[in-house]
Amino acid sequence: MSLPLVSHLMGRIAALGAEFRAPVLIHMEAEPERAAAMERLLAAHPNAAFIWAHNCGRGGAPAISSFLSRFPNLMCDLGGMAAVERGGYGTFWPKKTPWMHVIEDGYGKLNPEMRDLFERFPRRFMVGTDAAHTPALRTYTSRIARFRELLSQLSLPAAKRIAYENAAELFGVK
């Protein structure tokens, strides 16, 4: 089910998230009109924590940087961004568009602009598995191995933040 981001229902969901300190997961691409709606949602609910799946909708480094600079209540989930299978979400599947960006070259090397973004904002990204899509479970082991490979290209402090520290903080895990 797809809900409009700027709606009474999303406002209530954001308010509940803020009240119960539960992050709200947004799962959508960063097409211009959707990114504009996301801006309005984040601005309208500064006390709610939001996680934008798939590296903030597979946005480009400049767009993600702009969002993270303006909205301290936003985190980016890297679920599905490890390119371990042909046609997977970490590639240009289902089609390549101007707003769709990947974080790696498909062989385990971080794209330089994404590596720089992760180093600049290490507290705003977290590894994710996107396990809600059960077919993705068949590549779980290879995706985790790829994340380890990708994180090894970052400074140790940034890698630890993205690998587990940010999620532990966000979800109150000690």
Side-chain angles (χ1 to χ4, degrees), residues 101-106 109-116 153:
H101 302 270
V102 295
I103 66 168
E104 60 150 307
D105 67 356
K109 186 170 190 307
L110 278 173
N111 290 337
E113 66 276 5
M114 289 298 172
R115 185 190 62 242
D116 294 345
Q153 297 164 52

Side-chain angles (χ1 to χ4, degrees), residues 6-172:
V6 181
S7 66
H8 176 72
L9 180 56
M10 280 305 297
R12 289 294 302 133
I13 291 170
L16 286 169
E19 180 181 347
F20 292 100
R21 296 179 190 208
V24 176
L25 176 65
I26 304 294
H27 196 274
M28 67 173 196
E29 302 296 336
E31 292 114 330
E33 55 282 345
R34 290 181 176 189
M38 186 66 167
E39 283 185 67
R40 291 192 302 276
L41 179 69
L42 292 165
H45 302 282
N47 295 325
F50 291 93
I51 303 169
W52 193 350
H54 304 298
N55 197 39
C56 286
R58 296 195 282 179
I64 295 170
S65 177
S66 175
F67 268 95
L68 296 177
S69 294
R70 292 178 295 139
F71 302 107
N73 55 332
L74 177 63
M75 298 279 300
C76 300
D77 168 354
L78 298 176
M81 295 307 293
V84 296
E85 63 181 323
R86 191 166 174 211
Y89 215 72
T91 64
F92 288 111
W93 176 89
K95 62 185 175 186
K96 187 173 183 176
T97 66
W99 59 82
M100 186 182 298
H101 302 270
V102 295
I103 66 168
E104 60 150 307
D105 67 356
Y107 300 98
K109 186 170 190 307
L110 278 173
N111 290 337
E113 66 276 5
M114 289 298 172
R115 185 190 62 242
D116 294 345
L117 186 66
F118 299 154
E119 289 288 351
R120 273 199 345 263
F121 296 98
R123 292 181 169 268
R124 308 295 289 286
F125 293 91
M126 65 182 133
V127 167
T129 59
D130 205 20
H133 302 283
T134 52
L137 293 175
R138 67 181 161 71
T139 60
Y140 179 85
T141 303
S142 57
R143 284 183 289 124
I144 295 302
R146 178 59 62 87
F147 273 126
R148 288 182 177 132
E149 185 178 2
L150 296 171
L151 292 171
S152 74
Q153 297 164 52
L154 300 174
S155 66
L156 184 58
K160 286 171 55 177
R161 293 293 325 171
I162 295 168
Y164 61 91
E165 290 177 351
N166 291 335
E169 269 181 26
L170 186 64
F171 296 109

